[in-house]
Amino acid sequence: MDFIYGLLPADLPTWVRVLGAGIACAVIGVTAMALGPLLYVYAETKVAGFMQDRIGPKRVGPHGLLQTVADAVKLLFKEAIYPAGADKKLFILAPCLVVVGAFLSFVVLPFGSRMQAVDLNIGLFYVVAVSSLSTVGLIMAGWASNNKYALFGAMRSAAQIVSYEIPAMMSLLTIVMIVGSLSLQEVVWAQQGGLQSWFLFRFFPIMPVVAIVFFTAGLAECNRAPFDIPEAESELVAGFHTEYSGFFFAMFFMAEYTEMLVISAVTSVLFLGGWWAPHPALQQIGSVGLGPFWLIAKAWFLMFVMMWLRWTLPRLRVDQLMYVAWKVLLPIGLTLVVLVGGLVLWFPDGFAWDGWVGWPLTLALFGFLFVVMQRAIRWSRKRAVEMAA
Amino acid sequence: MNSPITSDQAYGWRIEDLDVDEMILNMGPQHPSTHGVLRIELKTDGEVVRAARPHIGYLHRCFEKHAESVDYPGVIPYTDRMDYVASMGNSLGYALAVEKLMAIEVSPYVQTIRVIMAELQRIASHSIAVGTYGMDIGAFTPFLHLLRDREKILDLFEWTCGARLLYNYNWVGGLSHDVPEGFVKACRQFLREFDAITYPELMDLLIGNKIFIKRTAEIGVCSPELAISYDLTGPNLRGSGVPRDLRKDEPYCGYGQYAFDVVVGKGAYGPLGSCFDRNWVRAVEMHESAKILHQAVDRLEKMERTDVREKVPKRVKPNKGEVYGRSEAPRGQLGYYIVADGTAVNPYRVKVKSPCFTAMSIFHVLARGMYIADIIALIGSLDVVLGEIDR
């Protein structure tokens, strides 16, 4: 905002410059938010194509870059169909609520030390609150559609989001205890000083677990595979948006991908240092700060992980989903809250190995988990083949 | 356990039949996972299915009546359209039955080609079955990996007889075309890729996946006795641990000369006869088919080429009589009962014993008490093709 403020002629009254800069920022921000999904959907199709040994879109525009634009234009021009017996008001209101819920989180996302719409002192609380807003929209969509599949999808999504909010909350609490503030900007500032002070790499074996719990719960909250049971296309046709067409469908789509970005960005802010570069030397080139670049790079990496999971894993069943939330993630989350609470009390400066030992160890842990998983897969294949013999 | 459906129940439940918490959910005929135009009526209590009732017949095309009005070779294109995912198996069964009726003995060369085609078709068909099953559970990627390989098989078929889906290839007394020059080499290339990449990747990505096992290994359990009493055949029966395979038990086309194992379900991750076992049997059968193919291709290479239409009769007109011929199609035992009256060039009656039809008959027994998501898993594990059920 300061940048645009500086661009405006200095002889204008101050309030005009503030207003102008504010409106310009809002326009740029909202446009970026609204057009972002076009890019993410394109990325998703390309990632899927890569994983499935095919090419993906390539006809429309260079390398198919305009494919999603064409899709969006098609959706905009399509007639919106209202099913017989649908509650028309709620039917229209539902996608709006979902989109609003997804977009509102951007208000507190810090893209740089001063690139933030509002630095709410209850930022984390706000994120959790507005991201649950979409649940209301989903239930509304399911109910208003007058369709049994949509209703099933709505019920599933309500149960799922409410359940997974609790473990997500638990892992948020640990961060809040360490930082001592709910403001997202404060959380980022607490991770100043490069890679070794990111929360992912603090309290070595503990914070990686917190991060995994949060990311898993986040996946479930934005209805992504393997937790995509509310839309489960093979069971519920399309779940809560079965009856939607045209622009309203596009809004659901937009909301889904925006939520993905929000969850990824919040995870980056909480655990991966937000807009801090991995090394202080990389924080800016000349006088140009690279904060937004780093945050978006981290968020996009996490989005790629989400896509990776989606195109690899099968879907859980409803009861298994609840099992994971209540009997696996919640006990882990509660334990972590107690544990981190104690650690913050007794080791206010962190563990002795937090500095330059913690992060290689964490990366080694992830590497180790990766190898273990690979071994497990090999073993299960061997077993499957041996069973045949 | 399996109360018969009475006639007054046949057209759906009425509101009075439902408890307060129950709801009727119509799954299909336009549903992404009913594998065609199957319609299932589910009486649901929340996510739990209290009762299920399949409705079939949306794809009825009067196959058996058609068969009575065309001549014997003319039936073959219609058989292709029954189980359209595995057409080679259908026409092979019909050709074998008519040959049995007319006492025609085809040459070993033709038999070997028939085995190659049947086994290639089995791999292609099981690729669809296992791949779409993964998709039913929510894993999209294995499906496309398998379709990639199915495409190669279809290329081989197209190269041989010009068609990719409905071949009209197995004729009474022979084949429509000889295999082209270089077929053996192309077939070997395909097998190399399948053995080295697709099959291990499938086992890694889908069959050995923990979520996949959790989803499928406990549900749709069909004991061996139940399977036999409902006349399940093929992979569905073998999934329940019954080693019944016509290729071994009543060898035709010289299947007795090939070394391969009959894959039976082991119940390694749950009760025997679960959805996982049925699907696992299909996956491993692809590997067994590849084993047969290796041997068959080796045999074919050493053989003298003969005319594949040598024994094809100018006019197929069997004497008065009847025959029941059966073969192991990818989906189970496919039987043709053919009656010839001895005067006409068209069959007096052709009756098909369809493996999918009998598999569908057990559906309402297994479906009771499942979750809605499991219903999808059950349909996929029975691997029905509606074209064959409705005919």
Side-chain angles (χ1 to χ4, degrees):
Chain A
M1 188 165 165
D2 293 338
F3 178 68
I4 298 173
Y5 184 82
L7 282 185
L8 292 171
D11 50 348
L12 283 172
T14 315
W15 67 270
V16 175
R17 289 173 72 186
V18 171
L19 194 66
I23 291 174
C25 277
V27 167
I28 294 170
V30 170
T31 315
M33 284 190 302
L35 294 185
L38 293 180
L39 188 65
Y40 313 144
V41 174
Y42 173 74
E44 174 109 58
T45 51
K46 275 292 185 191
V47 168
F50 171 66
M51 292 189 179
Q52 293 164 353
D53 197 10
R54 57 192 177 84
I55 298 168
K58 72 184 274 267
R59 291 295 170 127
V60 190
H63 298 281
L65 265 170
L66 298 177
Q67 181 66 53
T68 44
V69 178
D71 290 346
V73 169
K74 182 207 78 174
L75 282 175
L76 291 186
F77 283 115
K78 253 176 109 168
E79 183 193 358
I81 298 165
Y82 306 103
D87 188 330
K88 202 169 166 183
K89 281 182 204 131
L90 289 185
F91 191 77
I92 296 171
L93 186 59
C96 305
L97 258 186
V98 175
V99 168
V100 167
F103 278 12
L104 273 181
S105 309
F106 278 99
V107 170
V108 291
L109 272 187
F111 285 92
S113 60
R114 301 176 75 175
M115 280 187 72
Q116 190 181 15
V118 192
D119 183 15
L120 288 178
N121 56 1
I122 51 160
L124 276 176
F125 187 62
Y126 172 84
V127 169
V128 174
V130 295
S131 63
S132 337
L133 195 62
S134 59
T135 323
V136 182
L138 297 190
I139 297 181
M140 219 181 252
W143 178 254
S145 297
N146 189 25
N147 178 313
K148 287 168 182 173
Y149 288 109
L151 191 59
F152 267 115
M155 288 303 157
R156 283 179 174 193
S157 88
Q160 172 179 344
I161 295 181
V162 169
S163 307
Y164 275 86
E165 213 132 78
I166 297 165
M169 214 62 122
M170 293 294 160
S171 36
L172 282 184
L173 262 185
T174 61
I175 300 285
V176 173
M177 280 191 292
I178 296 175
V179 180
S181 166
L182 283 164
S183 152
L184 284 170
Q185 197 65 261
E186 298 265 331
V187 172
V188 178
W189 276 104
Q191 306 178 62
Q192 188 180 3
L195 197 62
Q196 73 278 12
S197 51
W198 292 359
F199 281 138
L200 177 64
F201 305 130
R202 298 272 188 93
F203 295 125
F204 162 59
I206 294 161
M207 290 315 276
V209 183
V210 179
I212 291 174
V213 169
F214 182 77
F215 192 64
T216 313
L219 266 182
E221 274 194 62
C222 52
N223 298 337
R224 285 291 290 188
F227 306 114
D228 59 343
I229 60 160
E231 31 200 308
E233 77 279 351
S234 60
E235 298 151 26
L236 296 184
V237 188
F240 55 85
H241 58 65
T242 305
E243 292 288 356
Y244 281 89
S245 59
F247 186 56
F248 295 129
F249 174 72
M251 283 169 88
F252 276 118
F253 220 67
M254 200 156 76
E256 185 191 329
Y257 280 88
T258 309
E259 264 177 41
M260 269 171 77
L261 181 70
V262 167
I263 294 288
S264 307
V266 170
T267 313
S268 329
V269 166
L270 294 179
F271 297 100
L272 298 176
W275 42 266
W276 287 112
H279 190 272
L282 299 170
Q283 193 59 45
Q284 51 190 18
I285 298 175
S287 62
V288 182
L290 291 179
F293 165 76
W294 285 115
L295 181 72
I296 290 172
K298 289 165 189 172
W300 283 4
F301 171 72
L302 289 177
M303 280 178 84
F304 168 72
V305 174
M306 285 183 174
M307 292 170 188
W308 187 3
L309 289 173
R310 174 171 177 187
W311 298 112
T312 308
L313 295 178
R315 185 184 304 120
L316 293 169
R317 207 197 302 146
V318 188
D319 56 325
Q320 291 165 346
L321 189 91
M322 290 298 156
Y323 182 93
V324 172
W326 294 101
K327 293 192 175 169
V328 180
L329 290 184
L330 185 62
I332 294 178
L334 280 172
T335 318
L336 288 172
V337 167
V338 175
L339 214 58
V340 174
L343 290 175
V344 170
L345 204 60
W346 288 309
F347 301 93
D349 301 324
F351 287 155
W353 58 75
D354 263 0
W356 286 104
V357 189
W359 68 269
L361 271 179
T362 311
L363 293 184
L365 177 74
F366 279 118
F368 176 70
L369 284 179
F370 188 71
V371 172
V372 165
M373 268 190 262
Q374 255 189 341
R375 281 289 157 85
I377 289 169
R378 290 238 179 88
W379 180 82
S380 66
R381 171 169 99 206
K382 224 176 120 208
R383 183 152 176 224
V385 174
E386 271 166 8
M387 271 163 61
Chain B
M1 178 168 168
N2 41 353
S3 56
I5 296 170
T6 55
S7 61
D8 63 313
Q9 285 180 311
Y11 298 103
W13 289 292
R14 286 158 305 181
I15 277 290
E16 305 91 82
D17 301 334
L18 301 178
D19 280 349
V20 177
D21 289 341
E22 287 178 345
M23 178 174 94
I24 289 174
L25 185 68
N26 259 309
M27 202 173 254
Q30 280 93 14
H31 185 279
S33 305
T34 50
H35 293 227
V37 284
L38 174 63
R39 173 177 154 227
I40 306 163
E41 226 181 338
L42 301 172
K43 197 193 267 184
T44 59
D45 178 1
E47 288 272 347
V48 181
V49 174
R50 291 264 174 262
R53 186 185 291 162
H55 293 260
I56 59 174
Y58 287 88
L59 204 55
H60 185 55
R61 290 151 302 172
C62 308
F63 164 72
E64 288 169 12
K65 192 66 195 165
H66 272 304
E68 289 169 21
S69 48
V70 291
D71 57 358
Y72 284 89
V75 176
I76 291 172
Y78 288 111
T79 63
D80 281 344
R81 282 151 182 80
M82 291 196 321
D83 181 355
Y84 43 77
V85 183
S87 297
M88 285 288 183
N90 299 349
S91 52
L92 178 61
Y94 178 78
L96 286 173
V98 179
E99 282 162 18
K100 196 169 156 191
L101 186 62
M102 297 179 70
I104 298 173
E105 188 75 29
V106 298
S107 67
Y109 181 71
V110 171
Q111 283 190 347
T112 312
I113 295 179
R114 280 181 173 180
V115 166
I116 290 174
M117 293 304 170
E119 294 307 314
L120 280 175
Q121 183 72 83
R122 195 180 307 276
I123 293 179
S125 165
H126 284 348
S127 292
I128 294 254
V130 176
T132 52
Y133 192 58
M135 212 155 69
D136 290 345
I137 304 297
F140 203 87
T141 303
F143 171 69
L144 283 151
H145 286 177
L146 287 170
L147 276 220
R148 175 191 64 200
D149 269 44
R150 176 176 180 266
E151 206 65 18
K152 293 173 193 160
I153 297 177
L154 298 193
D155 285 344
L156 287 176
F157 287 159
E158 187 184 10
W159 193 23
T160 307
C161 66
R164 293 174 68 82
L165 193 68
L166 308 163
Y167 314 102
N168 188 16
Y169 187 65
N170 291 301
W171 283 4
V172 176
L175 305 166
S176 72
H177 298 78
D178 197 354
V179 290
E181 206 64 48
F183 181 86
V184 169
K185 198 176 160 219
C187 199
R188 284 214 178 103
Q189 175 66 23
F190 161 75
L191 287 173
R192 248 200 309 280
E193 287 163 11
F194 180 81
D195 288 340
I197 300 167
T198 312
Y199 181 69
E201 269 187 2
L202 171 71
M203 285 296 179
D204 277 357
L205 203 53
L206 188 67
I207 308 290
N209 187 298
K210 178 104 178 163
I211 300 176
F212 181 76
I213 293 169
K214 285 262 174 208
R215 275 290 306 272
T216 54
E218 305 280 335
I219 57 164
V221 179
C222 174
S223 66
E225 298 77 34
L226 192 66
I228 292 171
S229 71
Y230 271 89
D231 190 21
L232 291 192
T233 52
N236 294 331
L237 181 65
R238 294 195 281 275
S240 294
V242 184
R244 174 83 169 136
D245 189 332
L246 285 183
R247 292 176 294 170
K248 269 269 194 266
D249 300 343
E250 295 174 9
Y252 55 94
C253 284
Y255 266 115
Q257 301 153 12
Y258 302 99
F260 66 100
D261 299 319
V262 176
V263 188
V264 290
K266 299 278 169 71
Y269 298 103
L272 180 67
S274 63
C275 290
F276 176 82
D277 283 335
R278 286 192 281 276
N279 189 59
W280 178 83
V281 163
R282 279 189 194 94
V284 180
E285 263 185 19
M286 288 201 267
H287 188 60
E288 294 298 323
S289 289
K291 259 161 70 179
I292 299 177
L293 275 169
H294 277 295
Q295 301 166 36
V297 166
D298 288 345
R299 285 163 64 91
L300 190 71
E301 204 178 24
K302 293 192 196 100
M303 272 180 182
E304 189 96 354
R305 269 179 188 261
T306 57
D307 182 11
V308 290
R309 300 192 194 173
E310 185 183 25
K311 295 279 177 59
V312 176
K314 286 275 179 299
R315 191 153 166 266
V316 185
K317 192 180 167 192
N319 296 328
K320 191 173 164 59
E322 56 183 55
V323 69
Y324 182 69
R326 56 183 179 178
S327 61
E328 187 77 22
R331 285 179 174 69
Q333 286 181 21
L334 178 66
Y336 288 92
Y337 176 63
I338 302 171
V339 181
D341 58 4
T343 56
V345 289
N346 46 335
Y348 181 76
R349 177 85 171 96
V350 175
K351 172 83 184 85
V352 179
K353 187 259 150 197
S354 146
C356 296
F357 184 78
T358 51
M360 205 64 233
S361 70
I362 202 173
F363 179 81
H364 71 285
V365 181
L366 298 182
R368 206 163 294 168
M370 281 182 155
Y371 286 98
I372 290 177
D374 296 340
I375 290 286
I376 303 298
L378 177 61
I379 302 172
S381 81
L382 290 174
D383 186 26
V384 292
V385 165
L386 269 293
E388 194 182 69
I389 292 183
D390 297 342
R391 296 194 289 282

